[in-house]
Amino acid sequence: MFLWLVVSSLVSEALALNNGLALTPPMGWLSWERFRCITDCQKYPQECISENLIKRTADIMISEGYLNAGYNYVGIDDCWLEKTRGPDGRMVPDRERFPSGMKALSDYIHERGLKFGMYQDYGNFTCAGYPGVLGNEKLDIDTFVEWEIDYLKLDGCYIQPTDMDAGYPQFGKMLNETGRPILYSCSWPAYQEDAKILPDYAAIAEHCNLWRNWDDIEDSWASMTKIMNWFGDNQDRLAEHAGPGHWNDPDMLLIGNFGLTVDQARVQMAVWSILAAPLLMSVDLATIKPEFKEILLNRDIIAIDQDVLGKQGLRIWKKTDAGPRKGLEIWKRELSDGSLAMAFVSQRDDGIPYAANFTFEEMQLANQAFDVQDLYKDESDKLLQANQEFEVRINPSGVKFYKFIPKN
Ligand SMILES: *[C@@H]1O[C@H](CO)[C@@H](O)[C@H](O)[C@H]1NC(C)=O
Ligand SMILES: *[C@@H]1O[C@H](CO)[C@@H](O)[C@H](O)[C@H]1NC(C)=O
Ligand SMILES: *[C@@H]1O[C@H](CO)[C@@H](O)[C@H](O)[C@H]1NC(C)=O
């Protein structure tokens, strides 16, 4: 056992990207899901992709405690560029929306103790049609280094998915050669999965700190559960590739926007933390309602996501057919202190909170007693005796999220 541990840790060290970053899943804020490609600042001054939006977000991340809770990256997604490069071939940030330029914005972010994330695309164009990096890789990387960015999301529009196996590592090598540690987010497998090409996740984990596996998330329970179900259905070929420095990415948190109820938002926070997913908020922090803010700032759940063991959890039980436990599932993650995070999710959309019992076998627990703590703090702590059935009562499209601590 000991030898096996030593060997496997050597192997995973040798094969994983070694830039010292993302030892736990990245946390922060990213513009896309909420603000997309809103560029009309006359009409939508609070929402357009602009230095004002980024500065406002950075300020609130400090003043409202998001940075203290661990959300330290603030990132611009697509739609920050001018449609054409400058006469020197360089990327030009939109002159009206980023009048101070990217270095000044970067300084603003760094002065506040945050880190700066940016977006580009490996193809000829970004997904929204702005100039991509293809043919200008070196120049663009040098420009990003001059702007002192800390995180780069490299999208995969306007490039063949078959070219990505060579392209993404090549770009990563050029990033590494700059000597600046830049967290590298790859969209490589998402485009391959979409094209029905089986991604080489071992290679991806060797070159990227995180990678978007699949569909873009949309602001709805339907989209969120579709992604969650896909991660459960494909966990046998995904979960093993996650670990310190390299993570699967089911996409941004919808929490606080228009599409999820409070219960549904709690499901996303719980399941994303079981998945050791990056926690990237995409919400207007100036107007978020307190009940959603509270979910994003739940320290106990953030601690599950950020657990240093870095082991992605699994959907271990699921009931799809009829019967009293229809639509329920159990998601479980092993933690560094020997305890377990256990999310009991309901995808029922009928009626009321239903109660259900689960056996130790169904929960895949060792036959011993556990202290059980409710991570959303609705219930007081309880003791679960060995082999006793565990009763949970879950709201429709909701979750009960517990920490099971083995009792000595
Ligand atoms: C990118 O643009 C160049 C120049 O127009 C073209 O030759 C090349 O085929 C394009 N690449 C892709 C992947 O579309
Ligand atoms: C570049 O890669 C080497 C070898 O994996 C690593 O030791 C180094 O920290 C990396 N540097 C940066 C800036 O990513
Ligand atoms: C769960 O089991 C307990 C103990 O046997 C029982 O009292 C309770 O009614 C059960 N709950 C459900 C929902 O079946």
Side-chain angles (χ1 to χ4, degrees), residues 258-276:
F258 314 103
L260 300 186
T261 65
V262 171
D263 277 295
Q264 293 167 348
R266 283 177 165 207
V267 173
Q268 191 181 23
M269 193 73 184
V271 173
W272 261 233
S273 74
I274 293 274
L275 290 172

Side-chain angles (χ1 to χ4, degrees), residues 185-200:
S185 167
C186 301
S187 299
W188 173 5
Y191 288 86
Q192 294 189 336
E193 295 275 4
D194 189 51
K196 306 282 176 235
I197 300 166
L198 199 61
D200 180 352

Side-chain angles (χ1 to χ4, degrees), residues 45 67 71 81 91 93 96 98 110-111 120 135 229 244 255 272 274 298 305 308 329 364 376 392:
L67 174 61
Y71 296 94
L81 280 159
M91 303 180 289
E96 287 184 5
F98 294 91
H110 289 141
E111 280 158 14
Q120 247 297 6
N229 295 341
I255 298 166
W272 261 233
I274 293 274
N298 184 312
D305 182 78
V308 293
E329 26 191 91
Q364 299 183 11
Y376 281 117
V392 247

Side-chain angles (χ1 to χ4, degrees), residues 355-357 389-392:
N357 277 337
E389 293 211 326
F390 185 62
E391 186 178 73
V392 247

Side-chain angles (χ1 to χ4, degrees), residues 18-19 176 179-181:
N18 182 23
N19 59 5
N176 175 282
R180 182 174 179 84

Side-chain angles (χ1 to χ4, degrees), residues 19-51:
N19 59 5
L21 301 174
L23 298 181
T24 61
M27 293 176 65
W29 181 97
L30 190 57
S31 57
W32 184 258
E33 198 293 313
R34 171 61 183 84
F35 297 99
R36 307 290 164 115
C37 200
I38 299 176
T39 51
D40 188 340
C41 293
Q42 253 71 55
K43 227 168 162 178
Y44 307 110
Q46 299 303 312
E47 295 173 79
C48 64
I49 303 301
S50 63
E51 62 182 47

Side-chain angles (χ1 to χ4, degrees), residues 329-347:
E329 26 191 91
I330 306 175
W331 294 73
K332 176 182 180 187
R333 177 171 174 188
E334 293 170 29
L335 304 170
S336 54
D337 65 0
S339 62
L340 304 159
M342 301 276 286
F344 298 80
V345 174
S346 171
Q347 291 200 40

Side-chain angles (χ1 to χ4, degrees), residues 118-147:
M118 289 209 74
Y119 166 102
Q120 247 297 6
D121 187 287
Y122 196 54
N124 275 331
F125 301 98
T126 71
C127 294
Y130 295 86
V133 302
L134 202 62
N136 292 285
E137 293 89 336
K138 178 80 173 77
L139 182 61
D140 289 354
I141 287 172
D142 288 346
T143 305
F144 282 132
V145 168
E146 283 169 27
W147 293 342

